[in-house]
Amino acid sequence: FDAGRSVVDAEGRVASTARSSVNVSGGSESTFSHDSIRISRPKLWSPDSPYLYSVRTVIRENGRDIDEVTEPLGFRWFSFDAVEGFFLNGKPLKLRGTNRHQDLKGYGNAVPDDLHVRDLEIIKETGFNFVRLAHYPQDPSVLAAADRLGLMLWEEIPVVNLVHLSEEFNKNSESMLREMIRQHRNHPSVILWGYMNEIFLRAPKNDAQTTATVELAKRLEKIAREEDPGRLTAIAFDRGGTEDRYHASGLGQITHVIGWNLYHGWYYETFDDFGKFLDEQHRRFPTRPLFISEYGANADRRVHSLKPKRFDSTMEWQRMYHESYLRQINDRRFVSGSAVWNNFDFSSEFRGETIPHINQKGLFTYDRKPKDISYLYKASFVSSPVLHIAVRDWPVRSGASEQRVDIYTNLDEVELFHDGAPVGKKSVGPSRKASWDIKLRPGVNSLAARGSRGGQLVSDLAEIPWRDPA
């Protein structure tokens, strides 16, 4: 047999080739290797320019092609620094990310490829450059879409909340990790292999459980570095009274990157405690790269309040939560990046909140309708003009006639009009938000927002129907 390998660029041109001869007896197996293929001055892969080559390997018998495999190829390098954050291709880049569960309303987990791809496109359109695939390897179409769109990935195996004390569990975990890496290691989008999530959250608090967890982590780390020494590893820790157990056990010294799943101001404490926790971790572990692998708050589009509070599932509390977290993340250069929990609402059997069996922390609903908060991220991360009057989640209002109207935008200045009358202009700073208190009248209140960039007018229209409670 002849084994030929070609590297093809995005325009379909052959950049380099290699060839080997292989002798294989009938009914047997053989391995072969090529000399290194050299690519002169390759184009680099990045979120802004996700340039893809492909590698085509062909087996020929007597000059006839009998089998072939094509794999993606992207050239990039990256690193995490405990002080300066994340670097891609030698340049600093904040990882602006989100998490993704693969289920979808009406489909469950049986999601067709085109809708997998559409999810990744929505994530890219929102401005994110990073996705954590939680908590399992996902469909090949997801990996291919991330390569094409320029979305960096953290992919992980489903070792979640608890390590079972059995060698069968350990061996299954090892098998899952090997299979995930071998199937997906050619995708340039993958930068992190994860193998545990909140592993002490439901674990018994005893020495045997702790020891077994740490020993399994060491075994999985060894496999990851053997299978793919060019990428890094990660574990997601939780902050629910178990954080010191992670440190005392030594689990934090095993992986390259520590992710924290943090919910200050939702499950516990206040918004500002989020930043205090990050600062404390950085002070205690100044050489450890830090990543926020989850943060989020419930939001049901039917539930609203002029005085929102923690754990009420109002859209207003979710917006306050994300506005605070995003500001605190931006203020800390040592934070390599973050991932919202979750990009889309998803099914969760044990949930019994305002929508039973649904986790409502998404920036989009279960059927992929954008919540107003998604536009905060879009205004913060995309370069094209964004102007959004954030009132769509609350379509009909009552109560006090004077209510706040927020706008998310990346324009420098925006003007608001109420029923055609100007309310005023406001400058927009790093918060990407401008607010007005307006007096609503009974009936439909028309709102218009206007701004400009480079001489081009940008506008948005919205309505607020208001009922006088009297």
Side-chain angles (χ1 to χ4, degrees), residues 182-199:
R182 290 183 181 185
Q183 290 174 26
H184 295 161
R185 62 188 171 193
N186 289 326
H187 291 280
S189 53
V190 178
I191 63 172
L192 289 171
W193 300 121
Y195 52 75
M196 285 182 179
N197 175 72
E198 299 182 350
I199 204 62

Side-chain angles (χ1 to χ4, degrees), residues 286-308:
T287 62
R288 180 185 295 174
L290 191 150
F291 187 89
I292 304 159
S293 40
E294 291 183 21
Y295 67 99
N298 274 21
D300 183 337
R301 295 186 87 190
R302 306 168 302 171
V303 182
H304 301 276
S305 175
L306 296 176
K307 296 180 180 180

